[in-house]
Amino acid sequence: MNKNEVNNFLCQFDFSSLEELDPSLAGGYNVCYIKEVPFEIRVEESEGRPREIGSLEIITVKILVLGEELNANRVKIELTSETDLFFHFTQTVDENTFETMQDNQKLMINFSEYLEVLIKMCNSCIREPQSFLAVFTIKKDSVAQLDFIKNMEYKFIELLNCEFTQSSEEIVKQHIAFRYNVIKSKNTIMHRRLQDVNILIKSKNPSLLMQLQKTALRQLDLMKNRKS
């Protein structure tokens, strides 16, 4: 199974009870968007001077709201990485903090439109990575800035800037524990499903099962040889 096939298979099962334990939901938040978005990650080497060229990484963007989605009291963005479990940054915006953003960036939108614009920006970076960029600059003192930029061919235009804070060690630990338990539960389901399939094939065609097992072992050996 490839990643999409595994996800489609797991969609058949109800993980709602496990998902309710997501630390992101603390305080009454609800998830309204979660996708993997290509980011250019830069690290500030000296004050006000980040690296000119960063590394391209896939970052999971989770957007949550407090209150109703169309009339949110707060909008929270969480950024995480599958390759670095300790990468965890958040931004929380309410109407008051948005007014500051609005004044500083001369934004032409209201707070009620902020959620929609965020989702639009992220989707644009996914669908049109040559035209829309998400540049994430990690600064000193546990802060970072996400810049959504549009490539106009003749110049780059900054569309939106979002200030982020690196999450505390305790929050990071909570999220790592949650993600570990989710993966463990899904792996258990896959293992049980594999056992059921093995029993079924063995009862119908034992020789086919032996052939499949030998093929699987050869594939594992090939993967090990490639890594070594």
Side-chain angles (χ1 to χ4, degrees), residues 44-175:
E44 190 174 74
E45 295 179 333
S46 59
E47 190 171 349
R49 295 188 63 183
R51 288 182 194 164
E52 292 186 5
I53 300 176
S55 59
L56 184 63
E57 297 185 28
I58 301 300
I59 299 299
T60 300
V61 178
K62 183 190 289 186
I63 305 178
L64 308 98
V65 296
L66 186 64
E68 297 179 5
E69 191 169 320
L70 297 177
N71 188 28
N73 297 319
R74 289 180 189 169
V75 176
K76 180 169 70 170
I77 315 170
E78 289 186 353
L79 305 179
T80 56
S81 170
E82 290 299 317
T83 58
D84 181 1
L85 294 178
F86 294 90
F87 182 99
H88 197 283
F89 289 83
T90 61
Q91 183 207 48
T92 304
V93 176
D94 58 19
E95 197 157 2
N96 291 330
T97 52
F98 182 78
E99 285 182 4
T100 303
M101 289 178 61
Q102 194 177 39
D103 292 339
N104 292 340
Q105 300 181 43
K106 303 295 187 289
L107 298 176
M108 304 296 291
I109 59 170
N110 297 317
F111 175 64
S112 59
E113 302 168 276
Y114 185 52
L115 174 63
E116 182 183 352
V117 168
L118 283 173
I119 293 174
K120 183 179 179 180
M121 291 290 100
C122 291
N123 287 337
S124 295
C125 292
I126 296 170
R127 295 169 185 162
E128 303 176 71
Q130 302 301 321
S131 300
F132 291 90
L133 312 173
V135 179
F136 190 72
T137 304
I138 301 174
K139 303 179 181 181
K140 297 179 180 179
D141 301 323
S142 301
V143 296
Q145 179 173 309
L146 173 60
D147 299 316
F148 289 105
I149 300 170
K150 185 172 184 180
N151 182 359
M152 300 293 290
E153 294 185 3
Y154 54 89
K155 70 179 296 186
F156 291 102
I157 297 177
E158 289 189 358
L159 303 175
L160 180 67
N161 302 328
C162 304
E163 297 292 333
F164 281 80
T165 304
Q166 189 172 20
S167 301
S168 67
E169 184 178 347
E170 182 59 32
I171 289 176
V172 171
K173 285 180 179 178
Q174 291 175 10
H175 281 270

Side-chain angles (χ1 to χ4, degrees), residues 24-40:
S24 303
L25 305 180
Y29 282 92
N30 295 304
V31 178
C32 60
Y33 180 90
I34 179 166
K35 282 189 180 180
E36 293 182 336
V37 182
F39 274 37
E40 182 181 326

Side-chain angles (χ1 to χ4, degrees), residues 186-199:
K186 291 181 177 180
N187 282 342
T188 300
I189 288 173
M190 291 293 291
H191 180 68
R192 288 174 181 169
R193 176 57 177 163
L194 180 60
Q195 287 180 321
D196 292 341
V197 171
N198 282 343
I199 292 171

